Amino acid sequence: MSIPLPDAPPDDTPLRPELPTNRVSHVIDTAIAVLGKLLSWLWLVTLAVVLTNVFSRFILGRGSIALEELSWHFFGATMILTLAYAVVTDDHVRVDVLRDKFSLRFQAWVELLCIVLLVLPVLYFMVDGLTEYAQRSFARGERSQAPSGLPYRFIIKSTLPIGMALIAIALSSRALRCCTYLFGFPRQLPLRRPVDHR
């Protein structure tokens, strides 16, 4: 399978230096970016459910516990499942006031050590615990405690370990990019220069 190479920025475009990519991280980042874009459509579904609930409750005067629960189920699932996309696109919250003062090498060392020593171990225990949490919900046939609430509570609970696992994969890719920059391994993927049509 051939993987399209990342485009190099035009020579006259001043950009903040970024970590180089390698073949493994490129495949992971591309897959998570595609998945994130697909899952982002769930925000429209969430909006539709919320608006339907508001219309039903305040216009028709008929509130629905099932619609209320469905709205926060969609909101929670969409939020947790798209966090990995924020990691891959580097759009998550940072203390940029401090980070921008450091060299790219220092940033790469901090990221690599924090990912490997702090974040990935925590995510491992979270995925392990949350998987058991979802399995218990499935085994018990758990449903909403409200009489007219939603059944199959395990579905929303299953999005938690899946979302955390996606974040762990995205951060592993980020750690590999740090290794490419710091140690030259895995080997950097060559950039494809844009074609000049002048």
Side-chain angles (χ1 to χ4, degrees):
M1 179 180 78
S2 67
I3 303 163
L5 297 176
D7 291 329
D11 293 331
D12 58 347
T13 307
L15 292 176
R16 188 173 65 181
E18 292 188 3
L19 293 171
T21 191
N22 53 68
R23 188 166 291 278
V24 177
S25 64
H26 182 62
V27 170
I28 292 172
D29 292 353
T30 302
I32 289 181
V34 169
L35 182 62
K37 287 177 182 176
L38 290 174
L39 289 170
S40 66
W41 287 98
L42 287 175
W43 286 116
L44 291 179
V45 178
T46 305
L47 180 62
V49 172
V50 169
L51 291 176
T52 303
N53 185 39
V54 169
F55 181 80
S56 174
R57 172 169 292 186
F58 295 104
I59 305 299
L60 301 179
R62 291 198 301 263
S64 169
I65 292 175
L67 270 178
E68 185 78 29
E69 290 184 353
L70 192 61
S71 64
W72 64 260
H73 278 206
F74 269 119
F75 180 83
T78 307
M79 178 66 75
I80 194 71
L81 292 174
T82 54
L83 283 175
Y85 177 79
V87 172
V88 162
T89 56
D90 205 19
D91 287 334
H92 53 91
V93 176
R94 293 181 182 274
V95 188
D96 286 332
V97 175
L98 296 177
R99 182 174 182 264
D100 287 343
K101 297 183 185 300
F102 302 138
S103 68
L104 184 59
R105 179 165 294 277
F106 185 79
Q107 292 174 20
W109 272 112
V110 169
E111 281 199 43
L112 180 61
L113 293 175
C114 288
I115 289 171
V116 172
L117 299 179
L118 297 176
V119 186
L120 288 181
V122 170
L123 285 174
Y124 170 79
F125 288 112
M126 289 181 73
V127 170
D128 185 52
L130 290 169
T131 301
E132 187 179 335
Y133 178 62
Q135 287 173 340
R136 280 199 308 268
S137 178
F138 175 76
R140 295 173 183 169
E142 186 180 0
R143 57 167 296 131
S144 171
Q145 294 179 349
S148 59
L150 295 176
Y152 311 121
R153 184 59 64 87
F154 74 92
I155 295 176
I156 183 64
K157 290 186 175 182
S158 296
T159 62
L160 297 171
I162 292 170
M164 292 297 159
L166 287 172
I167 294 169
I169 293 168
L171 285 171
S172 298
S173 171
R174 186 77 181 177
L176 284 174
R177 292 180 66 185
C178 291
C179 288
T180 296
Y181 179 72
L182 294 170
F183 313 118
F185 182 83
R187 190 161 47 91
Q188 181 176 350
L189 202 60
L191 296 175
R192 183 182 62 190
R193 283 285 168 192
V195 178
D196 190 355
H197 296 287
R198 289 179 294 181

